Amino acid sequence: MPGTFEPIPGGGAAVALDDVEISIIRSLAVQLLELIGPGPAEDDDADPLAELFAEGPSEPPSDPVLRRLFPDAYSDPEAPGEDEEQRAHSAEFRRYTENDLRAGKRENALAVIRSLDALNLVGDGGAVLKLSPEESRQWLGALNDLRLAIGSRLDITDEDDTDLLYRLPDEDPRKPMVMAYLWLGGLQETLVSTLMP
C-alpha cells in the first residue's frame, strides 16, 4: 500500500504515508489555502442571509494559478476574437459563483490538513491515513487543485507538456516541483480508482 490509495470497507480509502510525505502534502495544502484567501469573517452579529447573497468578484484573478483554479465560464480573456457578450456573461457567472467555489476549495484543503494533523505517527515516522467516503472526495478535490496550481507554475497546459517533465535533468530547478506534481498525480489516480464502483 505504500504511496497508493486502496479501498477500505465502507467505501473509504487508505494510504500509507511517511513523515516526509505527510509534511509535503500538508505544506502544499497550507500554501493552497493562503493562495485561495481567507473566508468570510466570523461575526456573531452578522446576518447569515447577507453572506448567502454576497456577490463575488466579476473580474478574473490576475494570478495565473488562481485563473487556472477559477477559470472564466464563457470566455478566455487571452483568446483572440472574444466578444463583449461572452465577457459580460463570464463576469456575471463569476460574481455569483466564485465565493462558493473558493469556499469549497478552502474546505477541501482544510480537510486534508485536519486529517493529516489527526494522524498518530508510528515508530518509523509514518502512518496509515484512513479516509471516509466524504473525506476521500475532499482529498480528491484538494489533490486536483494542488496539481492545477503546480501545473500552472510549471506552464503545463496539455499532456505533451507532462511527457516533457519526465525528461527534465536532475539539475533543473523545477525538478522538485515536477516530482511533487507527478507524485500527487499518482495519488490522485489511485484515489479515483478507490471511489469508482
Side-chain angles (χ1 to χ4, degrees), residues 36-115:
I36 291 170
E42 294 293 323
D43 183 0
D44 293 334
D45 297 328
D47 178 4
L49 290 177
E51 184 180 320
L52 181 64
F53 295 106
E55 292 184 8
S58 59
E59 293 297 318
S62 59
D63 185 300
V65 173
L66 289 174
R67 271 198 312 272
R68 178 75 73 69
L69 291 172
F70 305 105
D72 273 336
Y74 299 104
S75 64
D76 179 0
E78 298 173 11
E82 181 186 50
D83 65 25
E84 282 298 317
E85 186 176 348
Q86 286 175 316
R87 277 195 290 276
H89 289 306
S90 287
E92 183 175 359
F93 185 81
R94 180 178 298 281
R95 187 170 56 247
Y96 294 113
T97 61
E98 187 168 316
N99 286 346
D100 288 340
L101 291 172
R102 281 182 186 264
K105 291 178 184 303
R106 192 178 300 109
E107 190 54 42
N108 289 344
L110 283 169
V112 167
I113 294 167
R114 287 181 190 122
S115 61

Side-chain angles (χ1 to χ4, degrees), residues 89-155:
H89 289 306
S90 287
E92 183 175 359
F93 185 81
R94 180 178 298 281
R95 187 170 56 247
Y96 294 113
T97 61
E98 187 168 316
N99 286 346
D100 288 340
L101 291 172
R102 281 182 186 264
K105 291 178 184 303
R106 192 178 300 109
E107 190 54 42
N108 289 344
L110 283 169
V112 167
I113 294 167
R114 287 181 190 122
S115 61
L116 292 174
D117 287 349
L119 286 175
N120 293 319
L121 299 180
V122 291
D124 64 352
V128 175
L129 173 70
K130 293 182 181 179
L131 302 173
S132 68
E134 176 59 26
E135 290 169 326
S136 296
R137 286 186 285 281
Q138 289 178 307
W139 263 75
L140 189 58
L143 288 172
N144 186 60
D145 289 341
L146 289 171
R147 289 194 76 235
L148 285 172
I150 294 171
S152 180
R153 293 288 189 236
L154 292 171
D155 291 324

Side-chain angles (χ1 to χ4, degrees), residues 20-44:
V20 173
E21 293 169 329
I22 292 167
S23 176
I24 290 170
I25 295 171
R26 190 182 190 289
S27 174
L28 290 172
V30 167
Q31 290 175 52
L32 181 64
L33 275 175
E34 291 171 354
L35 184 64
I36 291 170
E42 294 293 323
D43 183 0
D44 293 334

